[in-house]
């Protein structure tokens, strides 16, 4: 059993010759049209391993095998052929009609074997029985004639004991004969002793289990027939034929699954038919897998470049943005954290995930204890979230010194008001709350005057009698207001 390099508990389904690694379905790079599969690391095509590592032993899924024919179409086929087999026995040339019916039914059985061998564990449509049935019947009869002829000449030349031994060996080889015939569609290949021996040795002991199971099913048909009775009524004969047909389909599905299970030994490649395999991943999903693989390979620089290009193309994708943030926290790259934090906080705000802002900020502090947002907007937004979550001390630290760091910040009044409210929640600091409340009011008044001046400056242009540049009233008011922004700072030590 081989497992995926990046998912050690998942069986491998692909192999990269260049990288010499095994990969699962999730770790390969497929295009939207599924025309090729490539390795995310080297970009070369990967080789399919089929389902050789995903198949569980057939004896562990006997319940699924016995449920295999239990769908409406297959049950109708089973009962229908049983009824027709009884009806044609009363028609002229009954043997010919019986051969045709048997061939058609065997055509369906071989289709079940073929589909199961390729990894499709759902019984095929009833239309699979149409066409080619007579040819299969003739081929099966031809194999029986060849085997019977060989037994006759063995009896003639070597005696009845050797012929009986030959007949017993042939009975044990019937599953191998049918499997070889199904794989090659050739009579001579089906009865080729070398191919029969190769198949039996390749499968090993499980072949004996299959043979024993087939004997049990054949014996159970006889037991059920005795229970039902041998009265030649239409219903009893139909029931006996239906039971035999049911077991035949089950047997062929088990033989098909054996091919699927031992495909590596038999030189056969099949992929298990799962719903997950039919899903075509989006560009974002494939990009995230590509990133995950490079992270597991330890190539963080490549992962960062992939993150950057993916976020640039999909700036509003929640999964990508969150994964990049978690990655930066994990590797504790302070520079990248500082560069990305502002974007990430804005993303959380725009996506209405304000409840994550405070928690994300705390994660940043664990990886970067000295981190401080580089914009007044972020500091105020983080302070609000911290205050709402009950962490007033962190809110004060974020707002401390904001007036000196950002003297032209238009929301300093709101920042000082929030500072005052946060200080009231902290023991031994409530006495400083009044100072910042005063600053908040004075700043708000200054902002109000500034707005009035701006309004009048638009309506009444300043006089310029000396042809000099007009006075910039807004600049003067801004300089005057900046004197109100000093908050004095707070020493937390």
């Amino acid at each position: 059993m081989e497992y995926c390099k990046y998912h050690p508990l998942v069986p491998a389904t692909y192999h990269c010759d260049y990288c010499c690694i095994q990969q699962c379905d999730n770790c390969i790079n497929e295009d939207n049209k599924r025309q090729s599969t490539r390795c995310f690391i080297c970009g070369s095509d990967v080789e399919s391993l089929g389902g050789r590592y995903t198949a569980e032993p057939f004896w562990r899924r006997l319940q699924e095998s016995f449920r295999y024919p239990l769908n409406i179409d297959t049950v109708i086929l089973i009962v229908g052929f049983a009824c027709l087999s009884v009806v044609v026995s009363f028609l002229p040339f009954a043997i010919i009609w019986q051969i045709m019916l048997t061939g058609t039914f065997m055509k369906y059985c071989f289709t079940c074997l073929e589909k199961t061998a390729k990894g499709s564990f759902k019984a095929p449509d009833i239309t699979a029985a149409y066409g080619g049935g007579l040819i299969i019947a003739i081929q099966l009869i031809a194999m029986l004639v060849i085997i019977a002829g060989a037994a006759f000449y063995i009896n003639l030349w070597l005696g009845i004991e050797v012929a009986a031994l030959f007949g017993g060996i042939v009975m044990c080889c019937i599953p191998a004969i049918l499997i070889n015939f199904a794989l090659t569609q050739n009579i001579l290949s089906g009865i080729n002793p070398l191919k029969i021996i190769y198949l039996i040795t390749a499968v090993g002991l499980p072949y004996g289990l299959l043979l024993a199971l087939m004997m049990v099913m054949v014996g159970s048909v006889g037991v059920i027939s005795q229970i039902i009775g041998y009265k030649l009524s239409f219903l009893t004969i139909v029931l006996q034929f239906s039971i035999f047909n049911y077991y035949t389909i089950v047997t062929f599905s088990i033989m098909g699954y054996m091919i699927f299970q031992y495909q590596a030994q038999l030189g056969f490649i099949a992929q298990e038919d799962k719903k997950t395999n039919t899903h075509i991943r989006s560009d974002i999903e494939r990009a995230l897998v590509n990133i995950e693989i490079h992270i597991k390979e330890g190539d963080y620089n490549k992962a960062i470049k992939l993150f950057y290009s993916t976020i640039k193309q999909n700036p509003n994708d929640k999964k990508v943005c969150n994964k990049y943030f978690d990655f930066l926290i994990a590797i504790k790259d302070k520079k990248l954290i500082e560069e990305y934090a502002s974007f990430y906080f804005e993303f959380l705000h725009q996506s209405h995930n304000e409840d994550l802002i405070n928690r994300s900020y705390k994660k940043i502090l664990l990886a970067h204890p000295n981190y401080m947002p580089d914009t007044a907007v972020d500091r105020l937004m983080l302070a609000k979230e911290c205050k709402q979550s009950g962490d007033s001390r962190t809110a004060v630290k974020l707002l401390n010194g904001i007036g000196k760091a950002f003297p032209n910040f238009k929301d300093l009044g709101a920042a000082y008001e929030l500072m005052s409210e946060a200080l009231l929640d902290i023991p031994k600091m409530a006495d400083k709350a009044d100072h910042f409340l005063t600053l908040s009011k004075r700043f708000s008044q200054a902002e109000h005057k500034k707005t009035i001046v701006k309004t009048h400056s638009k309506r009444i242009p300043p006089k310029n009698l000396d042809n000099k540049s007009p006075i910039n009233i807004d600049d003067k008011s801004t300089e005057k207001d900046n004197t109100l922004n000093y908050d004095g700072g707070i020493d937390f030590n």
Side-chain angles (χ1 to χ4, degrees):
M1 175 70 77
E2 296 287 341
Y3 293 92
C4 174
K5 178 181 179 180
Y6 308 109
H7 300 92
L9 300 179
V10 179
T13 52
Y14 291 92
H15 173 77
C16 178
D17 289 332
Y18 186 84
C19 299
C20 294
I21 59 175
Q22 316 284 357
Q23 299 160 301
C24 65
D25 290 340
N26 185 64
C27 294
I28 49 93
N29 181 18
E30 83 287 357
D31 58 22
N32 289 332
K33 296 182 180 180
R34 294 262 179 168
Q35 295 179 345
S36 64
T37 51
R38 301 180 301 279
C39 175
F40 275 116
I41 300 298
C42 65
S44 60
D45 290 342
V46 292
E47 176 189 359
S48 174
L49 299 175
R52 67 180 71 171
Y53 298 133
T54 61
E56 60 180 338
F58 74 89
W59 59 85
R60 291 184 181 177
R61 59 184 312 278
L62 289 179
Q63 291 184 355
E64 289 80 358
S65 297
F66 281 98
R67 286 197 296 263
Y68 181 83
L70 298 181
N71 60 77
I72 296 177
D73 288 344
T74 309
V75 170
I76 292 175
L77 179 75
I78 290 172
V79 178
F81 272 93
C83 294
L84 288 175
S85 298
V86 177
V87 171
V88 297
S89 62
F90 297 100
L91 298 178
F93 309 104
I95 185 65
I96 297 176
W97 294 110
Q98 197 67 47
I99 290 174
M100 294 180 63
L101 279 176
T102 303
T104 303
F105 182 74
M106 293 305 294
K107 170 65 167 56
Y108 182 82
C109 291
F110 275 107
T111 303
C112 293
L113 187 151
E114 179 185 356
K115 295 291 185 181
T116 308
K118 292 181 179 180
S120 177
F121 306 138
K122 181 181 178 181
D125 189 78
I126 193 173
T127 55
Y130 300 157
L134 183 59
I135 296 175
I136 289 180
I138 294 173
Q139 289 174 323
L140 292 176
I141 292 173
M143 285 194 293
L144 289 176
V145 170
I146 294 174
I147 294 172
F152 174 78
Y153 281 104
I154 290 174
N155 180 38
L156 186 63
W157 294 336
L158 301 177
I160 187 66
E161 293 83 3
V162 179
L165 178 63
F166 173 77
I169 294 174
V170 169
M171 292 297 294
C172 294
C173 294
I174 286 178
I177 293 172
L178 293 174
I179 290 174
N180 280 328
F181 175 72
L183 290 175
T184 61
Q185 298 294 320
N186 185 280
I187 297 175
L188 296 179
S189 295
I191 60 177
N192 187 331
L194 295 178
K195 290 191 174 183
I196 292 173
I197 294 172
Y198 176 78
L199 187 146
I200 294 174
T201 55
V203 175
L205 181 61
Y207 182 86
L209 297 177
L210 172 64
L211 191 62
L213 181 63
M214 291 178 62
M215 291 180 178
V216 170
M217 285 191 286
V218 171
S220 65
V221 172
V223 172
I224 294 173
S225 297
Q226 288 183 349
I227 295 174
I228 295 174
Y230 291 97
K231 294 181 180 180
L232 297 178
S233 67
F234 180 82
L235 290 179
T236 56
I237 297 176
V238 167
L239 185 57
Q240 291 174 8
F241 269 110
S242 298
I243 294 171
F244 178 79
N245 292 343
Y246 167 77
Y247 277 133
T248 303
I249 293 177
V250 170
T251 302
F252 273 79
S253 69
I254 292 176
M255 289 191 294
Y257 187 83
M258 179 172 283
I259 298 174
F260 177 78
Q261 180 183 347
Y262 293 96
Q263 58 186 275
Q265 293 89 333
L266 300 176
F268 185 79
I269 296 178
Q271 187 73 27
E272 187 172 357
D273 185 17
K274 294 182 179 178
K275 292 182 179 180
T276 54
N277 289 341
T278 62
H279 171 64
I280 299 178
R281 295 180 295 184
S282 64
D283 293 338
I284 295 178
E285 290 174 325
R286 291 205 306 276
L288 288 174
V289 173
N290 193 6
I291 291 168
E292 178 188 356
I293 289 176
H294 281 88
I295 290 175
K296 290 181 178 180
E297 287 285 346
D299 191 354
Y300 293 166
N301 291 331
K302 178 65 174 179
I304 291 169
K305 290 180 181 179
L306 291 170
F307 265 125
Y308 179 80
S309 61
T310 306
I311 292 176
K312 186 177 180 181
Q313 296 175 5
N314 308 276
N316 298 319
D317 189 87
K318 182 178 180 180
K319 194 171 185 178
V320 177
C321 293
N322 289 339
K323 278 187 173 293
Y324 186 45
F325 176 78
D326 293 337
F327 171 71
L328 295 180
I329 297 301
I331 64 174
K332 298 182 179 180
D333 191 315
K334 296 180 180 180
K335 182 179 179 182
L336 291 178
I337 288 174
E338 292 175 356
E339 292 176 355
Y340 183 66
S342 181
F343 169 85
Y344 186 65
F345 290 141
E346 180 63 22
F347 164 76
L348 292 177
H349 179 71
Q350 293 294 335
S351 59
H352 305 291
N353 289 303
E354 289 83 359
D355 56 315
L356 298 178
I357 293 177
N358 185 31
R359 279 185 280 173
S360 301
Y361 175 61
K362 297 299 177 60
K363 289 182 180 180
I364 290 177
L365 292 180
L366 292 175
H368 187 357
N370 297 323
Y371 169 76
M372 181 62 69
D374 56 1
T375 66
V377 174
D378 290 340
R379 287 173 67 169
L380 178 57
M381 178 177 64
L382 286 174
K384 287 181 179 179
E385 297 301 327
C386 290
K387 176 67 172 60
Q388 290 179 2
S389 63
D391 189 1
S392 297
R393 179 173 288 273
T394 302
V396 171
K397 286 184 178 181
L398 286 165
L399 296 174
N400 189 29
I402 192 172
K404 289 191 292 185
F406 306 97
N408 294 321
F409 182 43
K410 64 178 182 179
D411 290 328
L412 276 177
Y416 289 145
E417 183 179 359
L418 181 62
M419 182 77 155
S420 175
E421 295 174 357
L423 287 170
L424 290 174
D425 296 336
I426 303 175
K428 299 181 181 180
M429 288 191 179
D431 56 331
K432 297 183 180 182
D434 292 338
H435 169 68
F436 287 94
L437 183 60
T438 301
L439 283 176
S440 173
K441 292 179 179 179
R442 290 173 59 188
F443 186 85
S444 298
Q445 292 175 358
E447 281 294 313
H448 179 67
K449 292 179 180 179
K450 178 178 176 181
T451 304
I452 295 175
V453 171
K454 284 183 178 180
T455 304
H456 282 282
S457 65
K458 293 179 181 178
R459 295 181 180 179
I460 307 174
K463 296 181 180 180
N464 189 10
L465 300 177
D466 299 329
N467 293 325
K468 296 180 181 180
S469 299
I471 299 174
N472 192 333
I473 299 177
D474 294 344
D475 290 345
K476 283 193 173 185
S477 63
T478 302
E479 292 175 0
K480 182 178 179 180
D481 293 338
N482 287 344
T483 62
L484 304 176
N485 295 352
Y486 178 68
D487 54 29
I490 294 178
D491 184 7
F492 284 88
N493 298 323

